[in-house]
Amino acid sequence: MTAPVELVRSLDARYYTDPQIFQIERNGLMARTWQFAGHVSQLKEPGAYFTFEIAGQSLFCIRDKAGEIRAFYNVCQHRAHELVSGTGNAGLIVCPYHAWTYELTGKLRSGPNIKAVPGFDRDAICLTSVKVEEFCGFLFVNLDADARPMEDWFPGARAQLTAFVPNYAELEPLQWVEIPENCNWKVSVENYSECYHCKINHQTFATGIIKPETYDIQPQGYCLRHTTECQNLESMTYPVDLDANEHAGDYSSWFLWPMFSFQVYPGNVLNTYHWRAVDADHVVVWRGWYSAGGLDSDIISRLAAQDRGTTVEEDIHLVESVQRGMKSRGYRPGPLVLDPACGVNSEHSVKVLQQWMREAVDG
């Protein structure tokens, strides 16, 4: 007699609805993982900076006079006033409160009357730095001072993305679209990380961009790598030159746990998702599209509009319905569909993702 197989079930609803779990994630996971900050094109000149927020912390990136990109907590070391806001360019970082002034390296340069203070050691005061890495033109930060480099987290992803987008150094943001979703960030990320729902819910994507029968998702460190072939050329919603390079006819995505994904559409079109968790019931998804020099491209602009009107809009309805369902008294976590052969109709990627989610909360 065959022994019964123990099914793998989805996470309990509390992981998606409990505000206390969200706080655990915010104070732990989000503060010790690599999070998207911005793009190098925002820091073209020495002194250029931009601010952003991670895990409830105000931060900024700045290019110093030697050309190095640095990241700091956005707080003066005197009496905690925020130093900068928005974007800009500064030869020095000057606190608006008492005019304590810092070099672009973060070192304190001067402050009114500080020389009158016995024993004041200017050289001992510096802005609190944050780990920052460039990844194919994109900037990521990690609040964990002991964090391992991104290559350890996402082995091979940088080299693979470079092969798919060999001109990445020329690319700049063409548009970033802000998409609020009334759901937990994990509901949105899970939806992104499987294509089991694609043929049913994303007709344009499944018939005009990819071949669902070739779709697969596999873990690669803390990366989920999506791969598939492009749809037949006569069915594509935009022209693709298959002879342009080795990967012109391929689609691939690199989801970098926990809240960022690179996508390359057929024709080597780079686009991104990044998630900013607001609270247990709300997340903002930023959809990014990139072109050479950030200049308008008819194909990319049409693709972005098509995507916003189809896949993105379709997903909003899906994830918000799931979030409402998570609060239903009738919900019991169902078994995941785990096909040993993997493929488009398997949720093996969700199994991996939910294990990471469980570890982030439960240790």
Side-chain angles (χ1 to χ4, degrees):
M1 185 175 180
T2 304
V5 176
E6 185 175 353
L7 299 176
V8 176
R9 295 188 175 273
S10 190
L11 290 177
D12 290 339
R14 65 185 178 87
Y15 285 88
Y16 308 91
T17 62
D18 188 342
Q20 290 185 332
I21 285 182
F22 177 79
Q23 288 303 317
I24 291 171
E25 293 169 339
R26 189 183 196 190
N27 296 331
L29 174 72
M30 298 175 200
R32 55 178 170 78
T33 50
W34 288 101
Q35 302 277 341
F36 175 64
H39 193 268
V40 291
S41 62
Q42 297 173 266
L43 303 176
K44 291 182 178 179
E45 304 294 334
Y49 66 84
F50 63 84
T51 59
F52 57 101
E53 185 176 299
I54 298 293
Q57 299 293 307
S58 179
L59 308 161
F60 69 97
C61 282
I62 192 165
R63 188 181 290 275
D64 70 17
K65 293 177 181 177
E68 183 179 346
I69 292 176
R70 299 175 181 268
F72 299 103
Y73 284 92
N74 186 18
V75 62
C76 182
Q77 301 300 290
H78 176 218
R79 284 173 53 196
H81 197 283
E82 291 177 324
L83 293 164
V84 291
S85 61
T87 62
N89 192 290
L92 295 167
I93 303 164
V94 182
C95 178
Y97 198 6
H98 299 101
W100 277 37
T101 301
Y102 300 85
E103 304 286 358
L104 303 186
T105 59
K107 286 286 189 182
L108 181 66
R109 174 174 176 152
S110 62
N113 208 34
I114 61 174
K115 292 181 180 179
V117 180
F120 190 100
D121 184 1
R122 186 185 62 182
D123 294 334
I125 298 175
C126 185
L127 300 181
T128 306
S129 63
V130 175
K131 275 182 172 284
V132 59
E133 273 200 39
E134 179 184 339
F135 193 105
C136 295
F138 293 75
L139 298 173
F140 292 81
V141 299
N142 196 318
L143 305 189
D144 180 0
D146 298 319
R148 292 178 291 115
M150 292 183 72
E151 185 61 33
D152 290 356
W153 281 72
F154 317 115
R158 193 191 311 256
Q160 292 162 351
L161 182 60
T162 300
F164 271 71
V165 192
N167 69 328
Y168 77 84
E170 303 171 11
L171 301 183
E172 296 183 21
L174 175 61
Q175 60 173 265
W176 275 330
V177 180
E178 180 181 0
I179 306 158
E181 293 180 343
N182 296 318
C183 68
N184 187 273
W185 70 273
K186 296 188 294 300
V187 169
S188 186
V189 163
E190 280 186 16
N191 177 74
Y192 177 85
S193 300
E194 52 96 341
C195 212
Y196 186 32
H197 71 284
C198 288
K199 287 193 286 187
I200 301 170
N201 294 280
H202 299 318
Q203 289 296 308
T204 300
F205 181 67
T207 62
I209 295 179
I210 65 155
K211 285 183 179 177
E213 64 270 22
T214 66
Y215 206 103
D216 196 21
I217 308 173
Q218 294 295 333
Q220 194 173 298
Y222 279 100
C223 168
L224 290 175
R225 171 85 186 278
H226 300 222
T227 55
T228 186
E229 298 172 12
C230 74
Q231 190 53 262
N232 298 326
L233 291 184
E234 61 272 18
S235 299
M236 290 289 291
T237 60
Y238 63 98
V240 174
D241 178 8
L242 296 181
D243 296 324
N245 53 58
E246 179 185 1
H247 293 294
D250 298 328
Y251 165 97
S252 194
S253 171
W254 295 261
F255 170 74
L256 309 184
W257 167 254
M259 293 186 184
F260 189 90
S261 188
F262 293 103
Q263 285 189 148
V264 181
Y265 274 27
N268 311 102
V269 178
L270 178 65
N271 52 97
T272 59
Y273 282 81
H274 70 274
W275 289 260
R276 292 284 192 242
V278 178
D279 56 33
D281 293 310
H282 300 90
V283 63
V284 176
V285 183
W286 290 86
R287 192 74 172 90
W289 295 84
Y290 307 83
S291 64
L295 300 176
D296 191 33
S297 160
D298 182 59
I299 288 178
I300 297 175
S301 292
R302 284 193 291 115
L303 252 180
Q306 171 186 288
D307 174 78
R308 182 68 182 89
T310 57
T311 305
V312 170
E313 190 64 30
E314 291 153 1
D315 276 335
I316 291 172
H317 296 291
L318 295 174
V319 298
E320 292 188 349
S321 177
V322 169
Q323 187 69 15
R324 292 191 296 270
M326 288 290 181
K327 296 181 178 181
S328 169
R329 294 184 180 185
Y331 176 62
R332 305 290 183 273
L336 296 176
V337 177
L338 303 178
D339 186 339
C342 299
V344 71
N345 289 322
S346 180
E347 294 174 301
H348 58 281
S349 54
V350 176
K351 176 187 175 184
V352 173
L353 191 60
Q354 290 189 348
Q355 182 58 38
W356 296 341
M357 293 172 176
R358 188 179 291 109
E359 290 171 355
V361 174
D362 302 331

